[in-house]
Amino acid sequence: ELAGVMAQCDLAIGSGGGLSLELGAIGLPTVLIAVADDQVEPCKAFHDQGLAWYAGNIASLTPDVFQKTFEAFVSGTASRRDLYHETQKVFRRPGITHVAKVIQGILQAKKKGVPRLVHA
């Protein structure tokens, strides 16, 4: 149900945890806020790859900075459109093509005599 609700939105404000992946998967332009220290780097990575905007860590994010970031995000129609298109490229690749390439790589490695992995 949540994905359906999210898909009806024009934009989102989310945390940098698993929710950021869900928002990206449906292509929803998002402003991310790290709510835990281990979310800072993933939020920065989303921002650096053009998948979301990163507003900052909640522990140090002032209301003024957040307001300015959010207002810029809302008024930046082209930026939100770019986020949408970038998430489409990253999250909606045909999965079967990727899986087929991985399987093909494994088969080629076996043919070249690469030793099999042994699990202990």
Side-chain angles (χ1 to χ4, degrees):
E1 288 183 30
L2 185 56
V5 171
M6 290 189 298
Q8 295 176 25
C9 298
D10 294 323
L11 57 94
I13 301 168
S15 65
L19 178 63
S20 58
L21 295 170
E22 294 174 31
L23 294 168
I26 62 168
L28 188 56
T30 303
V31 173
L32 293 175
I33 299 171
V35 297
D37 289 341
D38 65 343
Q39 293 179 354
V40 171
E41 292 306 317
C43 286
K44 287 179 181 178
F46 264 71
H47 181 85
D48 292 345
Q49 294 178 38
L51 302 173
W53 278 22
Y54 176 48
N57 188 321
I58 198 164
S60 60
L61 184 64
T62 65
D64 185 51
V65 169
F66 176 75
Q67 181 177 350
K68 287 178 183 176
T69 301
F70 186 72
E71 287 173 355
F73 188 70
V74 169
S75 65
T77 305
S79 296
R80 288 195 323 275
R81 185 175 42 250
D82 291 346
L83 291 176
Y84 172 79
H85 289 299
E86 196 59 33
T87 57
Q88 294 297 298
K89 284 190 243 173
V90 171
F91 288 98
R92 298 218 176 154
R93 293 186 313 189
I96 192 67
T97 303
H98 178 69
V99 171
K101 286 181 181 179
V102 170
I103 292 171
Q104 185 179 24
I106 292 169
L107 292 173
Q108 288 175 348
K110 285 179 84 174
K111 288 179 183 177
K112 292 180 181 178
V114 175
R116 293 178 42 174
L117 295 176
V118 178
H119 298 285

